């Protein structure tokens, strides 16, 4: 069976990093027999430019019939003035919702070679291996009502709604507990139950689900404390599970523990393990087209794709080992550069990873 992968490069640095990640996939096919075929489609600003829609119908159809999707990044100043509902980011949210990709995995792993690249002291971060499980299709990102209106006092009033149903919480909790079981069996659920009712429900439901996982140690933490603890002593965490918005924020924070946001991949899965894979960073329009972006988060997203959606664990390990060895050899993109390392551009970094596959 040939795996079908949709390539949605998107905007800004998206085409560069997806281009490089594709060379890794092609090397796996040509040198190691991975049965894979790819098809590209426009998404985000590129979708708007191509057909007036950040998620063109043909792109969604391709995504739906693919086993996995590799996405670069979407958005940029060119499209910021467009009517809100048609902006690039909304296309991404629609894609997540359309495929029901509720389970977002964001691993924060510090590669030993990058100990010096983190802004935190090496002893605080060395050995870090944390998995953030972010709920991805609910919360204030999707809740209704939403919008900006003129209120009775004739001033503008903005509104978003934080809403979670019991079943939405239950399914992400199950996913997080199952994952914790394959790791250190520690799960920390992050909420703001002292203030927000929707997350009080979150805490209650996660606690109920925990009864089915007696072998996993569950703890709860308020999100403000969790942000502080992530910087103070990140190695206390194994798996964290949290809401869509808190997960968005905490995963950016966690990325800096690993040296650079340019290092963090992600997987967004539905109940069938169909998934979308993307670096957690944005489209970085300021450095687009300069061949300086770090492609490793996207390459590591390919590894997650091989593992979680394509059931190709040995290829996943092959890609991760190649990234590791390139870092050990001292090659760096600008965002992770430190004294005594060798600076490479986006394409050259990709070429080194391909060369290191074995
Ligand atoms: C992310 C991004 C997105 C999000 C944006 C681009 C809509 O920040 O994947 O973390 O907020 O989910
Ligand atoms: Mg984010």
């Amino acid at each position: 069976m040939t795996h079908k992968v949709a390539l949605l490069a998107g905007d800004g640095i998206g085409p560069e990093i997806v281009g490089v990640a594709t060379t890794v996939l092609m090397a796996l096919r040509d040198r190691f027999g991975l049965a894979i075929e790819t098809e590209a489609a426009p998404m985000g600003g590129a979708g708007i430019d191509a057909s007036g829609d950040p998620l063109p119908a043909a792109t969604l159809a391709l995504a739906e019939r693919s086993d996995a999707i590799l996405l670069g990044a979407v958005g940029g100043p060119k499209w910021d003035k467009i009517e809100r509902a048609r902006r690039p980011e909304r296309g991404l949210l629609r894609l997540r919702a359309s495929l029901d990709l509720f389970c977002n995995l964001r691993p924060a792993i510090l590669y030993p070679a990058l100990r010096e690249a983190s802004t935190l002291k090496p002893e605080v971060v060395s050995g870090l291996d944390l998995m953030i499980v972010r709920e991805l299709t609910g919360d204030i990102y999707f809740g209704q009502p939403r919008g900006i209106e003129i209120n009775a006092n004739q001033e503008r009033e903005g509104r978003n709604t934080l809403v979670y149903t019991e079943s939405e919480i239950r399914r992400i909790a199950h996913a997080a507990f199952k994952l914790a079981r394959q790791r250190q069996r520690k799960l920390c659920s992050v909420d703001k139950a002292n203030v927000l009712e929707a997350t009080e429900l979150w805490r209650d439901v996660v606690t109920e689900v925990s009864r089915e996982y007696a072998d996993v140690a569950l703890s709860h933490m308020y999100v403000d404390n969790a942000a502080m603890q992530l910087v103070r002593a990140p190695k206390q965490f194994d798996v964290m599970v949290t809401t869509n918005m808190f997960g968005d924020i905490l995963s950016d924070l966690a990325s800096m523990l690993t040296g650079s946001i340019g290092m963090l991949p992600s997987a967004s899965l539905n109940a069938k393990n169909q998934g979308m894979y993307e670096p957690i960073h944005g489209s970085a329009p300021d450095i687009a087209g300069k061949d300086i972006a770090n492609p490793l988060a996207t390459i590591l997203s390919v590894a997650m794709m091989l593992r979680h959606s394509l059931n190709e664990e040995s290829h996943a390990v092959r890609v991760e080992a190649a990234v590791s060895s390139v870092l050990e050899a001292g090659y760096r993109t600008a965002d992770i550069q430190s004294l005594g390392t060798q600076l490479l551009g986006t394409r050259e970094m990709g070429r080194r990873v391909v060369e290191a596959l074995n």
Side-chain angles (χ1 to χ4, degrees), residues 87-346:
R87 284 185 200 156
E89 292 79 2
R90 287 295 180 90
L92 178 59
L93 296 186
R94 256 166 56 210
L95 184 54
R96 289 174 180 170
S98 303
L99 297 183
D100 205 17
L101 304 171
F102 68 94
C103 179
N104 182 219
L105 307 180
R106 297 190 165 190
I109 295 171
L110 181 82
Y111 282 82
L114 292 184
R115 284 178 70 200
E116 304 300 328
S118 175
T119 46
L120 273 78
K121 294 194 192 94
E123 63 268 28
V124 174
V125 290
S126 69
L128 180 78
D129 180 356
L130 158 71
M131 180 67 90
I132 297 181
V133 180
R134 171 188 175 193
E135 199 289 329
L136 202 61
T137 49
D139 197 359
I140 198 162
Y141 270 60
F142 293 94
Q144 296 288 346
R146 67 188 297 157
I148 303 173
E149 283 168 8
I150 307 291
N151 70 9
N153 296 328
Q154 296 306 308
E155 61 167 346
R156 283 173 299 169
E157 187 172 297
R159 173 173 289 92
N160 290 93
T161 307
L162 197 184
V163 45
Y164 263 118
T165 63
E166 204 179 333
S167 55
E168 284 175 316
I169 303 168
R170 187 162 287 126
R171 67 178 180 174
I172 192 72
H174 277 292
F177 276 108
K178 288 193 176 118
L179 204 87
R181 252 186 189 160
Q182 296 163 21
R183 299 173 44 108
Q184 304 303 310
R185 296 171 185 255
K186 270 169 56 182
L187 178 63
C188 179
S189 171
V190 176
D191 60 42
K192 189 72 185 173
N194 50 345
V195 178
L196 304 171
E197 285 83 352
T199 74
E200 192 183 324
L201 178 68
W202 176 280
R203 187 175 284 221
D204 290 347
V205 173
V206 171
T207 305
E208 285 161 28
V209 171
S210 75
R211 293 185 194 123
E212 297 174 46
Y213 301 87
D215 52 328
V216 176
L218 172 68
S219 60
H220 300 276
M221 211 178 259
Y222 297 137
V223 63
D224 47 351
N225 184 25
M228 187 269 276
Q229 296 294 339
L230 272 172
V231 180
R232 191 188 73 86
K235 283 186 275 182
Q236 70 185 284
F237 299 110
D238 175 24
V239 180
M240 287 178 125
V241 62
T242 192
T243 62
N244 201 345
M245 185 158 74
F246 296 162
D248 178 46
I249 299 167
L250 293 180
S251 59
D252 265 35
L253 192 162
S255 74
M256 269 320 286
L257 305 172
T258 73
S260 166
I261 193 163
M263 291 299 300
L264 253 74
S266 77
S268 306
L269 304 168
N270 64 21
K272 298 179 293 187
N273 278 338
Q274 187 188 24
M276 175 154 79
Y277 297 81
E278 51 177 320
I280 81 156
H281 60 68
S283 58
D286 53 320
I287 60 164
K290 296 186 177 160
D291 193 42
I292 57 177
N294 185 346
L296 294 180
T298 315
I299 293 174
L300 291 168
S301 298
V302 165
M304 290 191 89
M305 167 191 292
L306 291 162
R307 171 168 299 124
H308 294 284
S309 287
L310 307 185
N311 207 6
E312 298 279 5
E313 174 70 22
S314 65
H315 287 289
V317 171
R318 178 171 284 129
V319 172
E320 287 163 350
V323 168
S324 205
S325 79
V326 164
L327 292 171
E328 289 297 335
Y331 298 116
R332 302 283 188 275
T333 44
D335 56 317
I336 48 175
Q337 203 189 5
S338 59
L339 217 63
T341 60
Q342 190 183 334
L343 182 63
L344 299 182
T346 310

